[in-house]
Amino acid sequence: MRSLEGLKTFSYLEELILDNNLLGNDLRLPRLPHLHTLTLNKNQITELESLLDHLAEVVPSLQYLSLLGNMACPNELVCKEKDEDDYQRYRYFVLHKLTNLKFLDTRKVTRREREEALVRGAFMKVVKPKDAKASSDSASTSPEMHYTPLPSGSRDLTNHRGILGKCRYIYYGKHSEGNRFIRDDQL
C-alpha cells in the first residue's frame, strides 16, 4: 500500500496498523482525532522529525506508536552500527515531540524517560549531512592523505611486499572449556 487517501472517511478510527507496507517519508495521514494506536513497523521511513511533526498535528490523541523496522528508528534490527544508546536518544526525541505517548515501540514510557525528554529531548535529534556526495567529493579533492595505520611503504598498491611469520605456541588443551566437565575416568 502506498496511498492512505481513503482513511479520511474513517474520522472515528481508533487503531491503525500499517505494518509491512512501502510507506515512506511522504506519508500523510488525514486528521484522525480519535486515533490512539498507530503502528508503522517495517516501512521505508527515514525522516523522523517531519513524521513526528505531522503526527502531532493530525493525531492529537496518539498514545501508542511503533516505528520498528524503519531507518528512522535506530536499532540493531535495522542497522548494525546502532546500539542501545542510539535507540534511547531516539526515544527521548520522540517523547519530546509526542508528549501524550504511553507506549513507544516495544516498551512502556517510564516517568524517568518522560522527564528526560522534557529537559533534553529537543537536543537528541540525529543530524545528518545534507548531501553525502558533496562531502565525499570535497574530501577526495583534499591534498592531504587520510590516516592509515600501515607504514608508508605499504600504501603504494604497485609495490607489494609480503611478510611470513612463525609462531612457536603449542596448544595443550589444559584451559579448554570442554575439558572442565570431563573426568579422568571418562577418558
Side-chain angles (χ1 to χ4, degrees):
M1 173 183 348
R2 290 180 83 56
S3 173
L4 302 174
E5 289 180 31
L7 285 177
K8 59 185 161 201
T9 59
F10 298 100
S11 61
Y12 289 100
L13 191 65
E14 293 181 358
E15 294 182 20
L16 183 58
I17 299 171
L18 296 170
D19 297 348
N20 298 313
N21 287 292
L22 300 173
L23 300 173
N25 295 329
D26 57 346
L27 169 71
R28 291 291 166 244
L29 291 172
R31 181 152 178 81
L32 299 168
H34 302 285
L35 189 74
H36 60 76
T37 302
L38 177 63
T39 63
L40 293 165
N41 299 318
K42 294 186 180 177
N43 280 292
Q44 297 174 350
I45 300 169
T46 59
E47 294 296 323
L48 183 62
E49 186 172 20
S50 60
L51 173 69
L52 296 177
D53 289 340
H54 175 66
L55 292 178
E57 182 182 325
V58 297
V59 285
S61 302
L62 193 63
Q63 297 176 1
Y64 302 91
L65 175 66
S66 185
L67 296 171
L68 291 172
N70 291 292
M71 291 301 291
C73 176
N75 61 18
E76 293 91 353
L77 298 175
V78 175
C79 185
K80 291 183 223 176
E81 289 84 30
K82 303 297 181 186
D83 60 4
E84 187 61 32
D85 291 336
D86 295 321
Y87 181 70
Q88 191 60 53
R89 282 191 294 275
Y90 150 83
R91 284 181 66 87
Y92 291 145
F93 185 67
V94 172
L95 293 173
H96 168 72
K97 290 286 194 176
L98 302 174
T99 57
N100 293 335
L101 284 184
K102 293 181 180 177
F103 204 88
L104 177 59
D105 297 329
T106 60
R107 295 192 319 222
K108 186 176 180 179
V109 175
T110 64
R111 185 177 55 116
R112 185 185 131 332
E113 279 182 319
R114 193 171 303 284
E115 291 168 356
E116 188 74 17
L118 284 172
V119 175
R120 294 187 182 95
F123 307 109
M124 299 295 175
K125 175 183 171 185
V126 177
V127 180
K128 295 182 247 178
K130 294 289 184 195
D131 187 11
K133 183 174 174 22
S135 64
S136 67
D137 288 345
S138 66
S140 65
T141 59
S142 169
E144 61 201 41
M145 184 174 219
H146 293 287
Y147 172 77
T148 176
L150 299 174
S152 60
S154 63
R155 291 182 193 156
D156 183 15
L157 297 178
T158 59
N159 182 13
H160 300 288
R161 290 188 310 192
I163 298 174
L164 177 64
K166 186 175 179 182
C167 179
R168 295 193 52 93
Y169 179 75
I170 301 172
Y171 176 71
Y172 292 106
K174 291 180 188 176
H175 304 291
S176 171
E177 289 290 323
N179 291 340
R180 183 170 52 168
F181 302 106
I182 300 174
R183 296 187 308 261
D184 288 335
D185 63 338
Q186 294 175 332
L187 294 174

